[in-house]
Amino acid sequence: MDAQGRGRAGDNNVDPADQWVFDPNTGNYELRLDQAGQAPARPADRKTAGSRRAAGRSGGDTDTRPLPTQRARGDESADDDERPGGGRASRRAAGSRAAAAAAGPAGRRKRKPKKSGKQKALYWTAGVVGFVLVAGCGGAFYLYQQLNGNISKVDVGVENDAVSDGPVNVLIIGTDARSGKGNSGYGDAGSVGHADTTILMHISKDRSNATALSIPRDMITDIPTCPTKQKDGSTKNIPGEHGVRFNTSLGQEGRDPGCTWRTVEKLTGLKINHFMMADFNAVKSLSTAVDGVEVCAGKDLNDPKSHLKLKAGRHIVKGEQALAFVRTRHAIGFGSDLDRIKMQQQFLSSLIRKLKSSAFSSPGKLYDVSQAATKALTVDTGIGSANKLLDFGTDLKKVDIDKVTFATVPVLDNPDDPATVILNKTAADPLFAMVRADHALAKGKKGKGKKSAPAKKAPPEQVRVDVTNGGGPIGSAQETVDWLQNNKAAKLSTNAGNAPAKLAATRLEYAPNQADQAATLADWMGLPKSALKKSSQNAGDRVPMKLTLGKDFKAPGSPVEAPTETPDGVQNVNADDKNVCAK
């Protein structure tokens, strides 16, 4: 076998995948050129593979010896059993000449592969690529060698390091653009592409947990002004917009992924490190590469628009059927995009489990997965090379599957437009605070140690409270009273001025007979248990509770302390939960 893994001269029966061996010292699959026991090639020995490919033939671009993925895209007749790899420097010239002679014309790339379009049908499938990294692709160098030759990059004006010492936030974007070979049957004809499905994947600082937040495409939000790189190298500022659909943060007015990046940062308060995009073929190919993905239907499903037909029960889906499963929405729930998000989360969870259990069990299987995952990947420049992606994937694979949780950003129906939704700030603000604080989402809605709420909460018109400022920003007391009266209909709230002393933490003092009022106010304000101080005696009917805003107070409605359990009203599913069924 030569340096590119195209078989030994005179020995065509050797499967190149069999020559990749697992090194327990590095956690990588590495190329063993000599079955008699020669030491495997290390990633450092293969880093000049581009120069060896150049030595094997003349003409073309720098990467003249095409990788298998590139050949498959440029020449449909390319052999399926070729494997990428590398060899030692002492074999460079001989190995390259032997490979060129053995490969013949069919082994040469005929044309530069086209960039695949991003599709509405599986616009979310960039998530698959992101979770392939989390699932363990960091263990194989040659996956990233392929990525280096296949992926597209977009300069969003931010150059973050591939690996960070802190938490990592990866923005996974999909669009409904329809361009690209094989994609004409999906998406909207003539669409410039929107951010029709967006997943913000947060990996904690200690890599102990990951949370994937699905952002509804029809949510009304604000899009900030964003700089975009033009083809001539100049930068154009795209004006922001107020009160528009989230999915217009990409494509519209020339917006690039950096605009969606900045929109999500403004929405969640989380600093994004990287982004990824991929086309719909990734799910068809990946589901096939892992020999199918198990899904569950809680009832008979028949959606003529997505062409999904499944009897109630468990099924193994792959290829077009997998595509139909994640596209469907008319056969489940209320037929909304929020219901489709649940289908996608079920599929992704099951795919991650399959990847963890078997997809990386052999070099051949890993090769198939890498082929499927790298054909249409687009990333930011911070992870836009093989070495960077290798480091990035190796860092993320530390997360255990039972610590990966999918959740949907909570929304409410828009009273002004039934076709759109608005952010449910009461539930979303504590969710965002929880993720920012690196707190893992509980597997269920009620986590261990969560204290159940009082049996009764007082209605807004009965909440009587005096608000004082004991350390918050100037004007916080009046701002809070205005918010309570106008947003929560708590008309019995009063600005009591400045507190006599500064407090480090916000405090709510109440009497035993005001427990229902305190429960309502604490829920509105996002107050932790430590903020509640109950007196020993009951208070008179017209005696108000006392809310003192401390130095931890930021704004009314913004939790003063990040919760440690999944907030009520937040749809979520753990990636290790095998009992989720679509209904």
Side-chain angles (χ1 to χ4, degrees), residues 191-206:
S191 172
V192 296
H194 308 79
D196 266 358
T197 286
T198 303
I199 299 174
L200 178 59
M201 184 170 67
H202 171 85
I203 299 90
S204 65
K205 180 179 180 179
D206 61 4

Side-chain angles (χ1 to χ4, degrees), residues 73-237:
R73 295 172 68 182
D75 179 3
E76 297 300 329
S77 65
D79 295 337
D80 292 332
D81 62 348
E82 293 186 340
R83 302 290 190 269
R88 297 189 180 278
S90 61
R91 292 181 175 84
R92 289 180 183 173
S96 298
R97 287 195 296 270
R108 300 187 178 97
R109 184 170 57 191
K110 294 183 177 181
R111 60 180 179 270
K112 188 175 182 179
K114 296 180 180 179
K115 295 180 181 179
S116 298
K118 315 302 180 285
Q119 308 304 316
K120 184 175 183 177
L122 270 216
Y123 40 65
W124 64 275
T125 57
V128 173
V129 180
F131 287 106
V132 163
L133 293 175
V134 174
C137 280
F141 175 82
Y142 78 104
L143 169 63
Y144 300 98
Q145 187 182 43
Q146 290 189 46
L147 284 173
N148 200 40
N150 293 330
I151 63 174
S152 300
K153 293 178 287 187
V154 175
D155 185 353
V156 297
V158 181
E159 185 74 24
N160 289 327
D161 292 337
V163 177
S164 170
D165 291 334
V168 176
N169 295 299
V170 185
L171 186 64
I172 301 164
I173 311 171
T175 80
D176 60 356
R178 193 174 171 176
S179 61
K181 183 178 179 180
N183 297 332
S184 59
Y186 309 98
D188 297 333
S191 172
V192 296
H194 308 79
D196 266 358
T197 286
T198 303
I199 299 174
L200 178 59
M201 184 170 67
H202 171 85
I203 299 90
S204 65
K205 180 179 180 179
D206 61 4
R207 307 300 184 257
S208 66
N209 67 86
T211 299
L213 297 178
S214 295
I215 303 175
R217 65 183 185 183
D218 296 323
M219 184 181 69
I220 298 301
T221 191
D222 296 337
I223 300 174
T225 298
C226 62
T228 59
K229 293 284 186 179
Q230 305 299 299
K231 292 182 179 179
D232 62 2
S234 63
T235 298
K236 178 181 179 181
N237 284 320

Side-chain angles (χ1 to χ4, degrees), residues 464-466 492 494 509-511 514 517 539-546:
R464 186 186 297 271
V465 61
D466 282 350
L492 299 181
T494 304
E509 300 173 67
Y510 66 99
Q514 296 172 325
Q517 297 182 48
D541 291 342
R542 295 181 178 274
V543 175
M545 298 183 294
K546 183 177 180 181

Side-chain angles (χ1 to χ4, degrees), residues 43-55:
D45 299 326
R46 296 193 293 272
K47 66 183 179 180
T48 57
S51 63
R52 292 195 291 274
R53 287 194 292 271

